[in-house]
Amino acid sequence: MADILIGTCGWTDPNLLKSDWYPPGTGTPEKRLRHYATRFPLVEADSPYYALPSTRTTTHWAERTPPGFRFDVKAFSLLTGHPTRPAALPPDLRTHPRDETLRAEVWTRYAEALTPLLYSGRLGTLLFQYPASLHPGPEAETFIRTARERAEGWPFAVEFRDPAWWHPANAPRTTAFLKDLNATAVATDTPDERHPVPVTTDLTIVRFHGRSPHWRTGTKEDRFRHTYTEQELEEWLPHIHTAATTTTELHLLFNNCCGDAAPRGAEMMRDLLTSRGIPHQRTAPEETPTGP
């Protein structure tokens, strides 16, 4: 059976901080992360999507979590073809043309910033979430392959926001493409899709985005505002059990980030797995540090 790790997408969302999920006495970034790591063995770091992280920041993340704790880290927006504000780039790169030369330099700085997580054994994977505007086809595959070649030696996961990649007519090609890249296919729970995609590496990821009716049209808060019910999560148990028998590690991440809905959903999933006798990690697994 795979090691099943459960966590949330982020741990400092403003609405989460306003909830009562964090106990009194955890009012600093260090104390919040240390507390979070006592509750879950996995977290997704989404702040690097909005701005390049620093080595100082990721060193703190490694120091404030136990050995074997996992960070799945979102790729910076420019690397996945999302709109990127000039102010999000380092000052010396803000006037540079938005081309592959710029992406190569941004990747170099992004990768350098993440080395403390990699060498401490705390990096789960890099998460390349591609926009809905990236449609299946040779041009898109070339764009993704170029990113993967830059990240050679790094764990690499891909989430497609255009469901056409997993349409029955395209799914075999998409699966073969990701296997060829040694890239993890990310499954999602959304109002559009509620089933896993094929296993393509020894890591499998499911991201629970919620089932808001405003998934495609609302603000960020509207799109991800959803409180999972026990019945909704129970639907996933057979798929989770199957995936756990065909992969080495399984990450279940809750991205319904409004108030404390994400950690409560993660806790509910953990309780459901326990009640069904499906083994999972309640604390961080031990791991030997590795390098690219």
Side-chain angles (χ1 to χ4, degrees):
M1 290 285 288
D3 289 331
I4 301 177
L5 281 67
I6 304 171
T8 65
C9 298
W11 67 95
T12 60
D13 182 80
N15 289 318
L16 174 61
L17 300 184
K18 292 175 184 176
S19 75
D20 62 358
W21 189 77
Y22 282 108
T26 56
T28 66
E30 176 177 357
K31 290 180 179 179
R32 283 193 288 266
L33 182 54
R34 289 188 185 279
H35 174 76
Y36 178 97
T38 68
R39 303 290 293 274
F40 299 111
L42 167 72
V43 76
E44 180 181 293
D46 57 2
S47 59
Y49 169 83
Y50 299 100
L52 289 174
S54 69
T55 303
R56 180 175 181 271
T57 295
T58 58
T59 297
H60 285 327
W61 291 351
E63 292 173 344
R64 294 167 182 174
T65 53
F69 184 90
R70 301 293 202 285
F71 289 87
D72 287 354
V73 183
K74 286 189 74 173
F76 181 57
S77 58
L78 187 81
L79 298 175
T80 52
H82 283 86
T84 302
R85 298 176 298 106
L89 289 165
D92 62 313
L93 299 179
R94 290 174 184 172
T95 61
H96 197 287
R98 303 298 180 91
D99 56 15
E100 288 302 322
T101 300
L102 177 61
R103 275 186 277 272
E105 176 59 26
V106 167
W107 161 258
T108 297
R109 301 188 191 191
Y110 173 84
E112 181 181 2
L114 295 184
T115 53
L117 297 181
L118 186 69
Y119 284 105
S120 66
R122 286 166 175 76
L123 180 65
T125 190
L126 308 181
L127 173 63
F128 279 66
Q129 176 194 297
Y130 288 99
S133 59
L134 191 76
H135 308 303
E139 185 176 349
E141 290 180 5
T142 297
F143 182 67
I144 298 168
R145 186 177 294 278
T146 299
R148 182 62 178 121
E149 289 172 351
R150 288 195 199 104
E152 182 180 359
W154 292 75
F156 191 95
V158 172
E159 178 182 339
F160 295 113
R161 282 294 171 87
D162 178 6
W165 287 90
W166 297 113
H167 185 278
N170 297 323
R173 180 183 178 94
T174 299
T175 301
F177 172 62
L178 294 180
K179 285 184 176 180
D180 183 57
L181 297 183
N182 190 30
T184 295
V186 177
T188 58
D189 181 279
T190 72
D192 299 334
E193 296 179 295
R194 302 178 187 175
H195 55 81
V197 294
V199 173
T200 55
T201 68
D202 59 3
L203 170 67
T204 297
I205 299 174
V206 184
R207 298 179 79 222
F208 292 84
H209 295 305
R211 302 183 182 182
S212 169
H214 307 290
W215 170 244
R216 293 288 181 186
T217 59
T219 64
K220 177 183 176 182
E221 289 73 20
D222 290 336
R223 294 196 305 273
F224 295 97
R225 183 178 290 113
H226 181 75
T227 299
Y228 278 101
T229 66
E230 186 171 302
Q231 180 179 353
E232 289 169 343
L233 296 185
E234 282 181 335
E235 296 170 7
W236 275 89
L237 296 184
H239 303 299
I240 290 170
H241 184 270
T242 298
T245 64
T246 56
T247 192
T248 302
E249 189 162 298
L250 176 59
H251 291 185
L252 308 178
L253 286 157
F254 283 77
N255 195 34
N256 51 323
C257 51
C258 289
D260 62 356
R264 299 304 182 195
E267 290 163 354
M268 183 183 294
M269 176 62 82
R270 186 173 60 197
D271 292 343
L272 285 171
L273 294 180
T274 299
S275 69
R276 300 306 191 275
I278 301 175
H280 57 91
Q281 296 281 353
R282 299 189 69 90
T283 57
E286 294 292 336
E287 181 176 275
T288 301
T290 58

Coordinates of all heavy atoms in Angstrom, one line a residue, residues 212-220 222-223:
S212 N -18.2 24.4 -5.8 CA -18.9 25.6 -5.9 C -19.6 25.8 -7.3 O -19.0 25.5 -8.3 CB -18.0 26.8 -5.7 OG -18.6 28.0 -6.0
P213 N -20.8 26.3 -7.3 CA -21.5 26.6 -8.6 C -20.8 27.7 -9.3 O -21.1 27.9 -10.5 CB -22.9 26.9 -8.2 CG -22.8 27.4 -6.8 CD -21.7 26.6 -6.1
H214 N -19.9 28.4 -8.7 CA -19.2 29.6 -9.3 C -17.8 29.2 -9.7 O -17.0 30.1 -9.9 CB -19.2 30.7 -8.3 CG -20.5 31.1 -7.8 ND1 -21.5 31.7 -8.5 CD2 -21.0 31.0 -6.5 CE1 -22.5 32.0 -7.8 NE2 -22.3 31.5 -6.6
W215 N -17.5 27.9 -9.9 CA -16.2 27.4 -10.2 C -15.6 28.1 -11.4 O -14.4 28.4 -11.4 CB -16.3 25.9 -10.4 CG -15.0 25.2 -11.0 CD1 -14.9 24.6 -12.2 CD2 -13.7 25.1 -10.3 NE1 -13.6 24.2 -12.3 CE2 -12.9 24.5 -11.2 CE3 -13.3 25.6 -9.1 CZ2 -11.6 24.2 -10.9 CZ3 -11.9 25.3 -8.7 CH2 -11.1 24.6 -9.6
R216 N -16.3 28.3 -12.4 CA -15.8 28.9 -13.7 C -15.9 30.4 -13.7 O -15.3 31.1 -14.6 CB -16.5 28.3 -14.9 CG -16.2 26.8 -15.1 CD -14.7 26.6 -15.5 NE -14.4 25.2 -15.8 CZ -13.2 24.7 -16.1 NH1 -12.2 25.5 -16.2 NH2 -13.0 23.4 -16.2
T217 N -16.7 31.0 -12.9 CA -17.1 32.4 -13.1 C -16.9 33.4 -12.0 O -16.8 34.6 -12.2 CB -18.6 32.5 -13.5 OG1 -19.4 31.9 -12.5 CG2 -18.9 31.7 -14.8
G218 N -16.8 32.9 -10.8 CA -16.7 33.8 -9.6 C -15.4 34.3 -9.3 O -14.4 34.0 -9.9
T219 N -15.3 35.0 -8.2 CA -14.0 35.5 -7.6 C -13.3 34.3 -7.0 O -13.9 33.2 -7.0 CB -14.2 36.5 -6.5 OG1 -15.0 35.8 -5.4 CG2 -15.1 37.7 -7.0
K220 N -12.1 34.4 -6.6 CA -11.3 33.3 -6.0 C -12.1 32.7 -4.9 O -12.3 31.5 -4.7 CB -10.0 33.8 -5.6 CG -9.2 32.6 -4.9 CD -7.8 33.1 -4.4 CE -7.1 32.0 -3.6 NZ -5.8 32.4 -3.0
D222 N -15.3 32.9 -4.3 CA -16.5 32.2 -4.8 C -16.2 30.9 -5.4 O -16.9 29.9 -5.2 CB -17.2 33.1 -5.9 CG -17.9 34.3 -5.3 OD1 -18.2 34.3 -4.1 OD2 -18.0 35.3 -6.1
R223 N -15.1 30.8 -6.2 CA -14.8 29.5 -6.9 C -14.4 28.4 -5.9 O -14.7 27.2 -6.2 CB -13.6 29.8 -7.8 CG -13.9 30.7 -9.0 CD -12.9 30.6 -10.1 NE -11.5 30.8 -9.6 CZ -10.9 32.0 -9.5 NH1 -11.6 33.1 -9.9 NH2 -9.7 32.1 -9.1

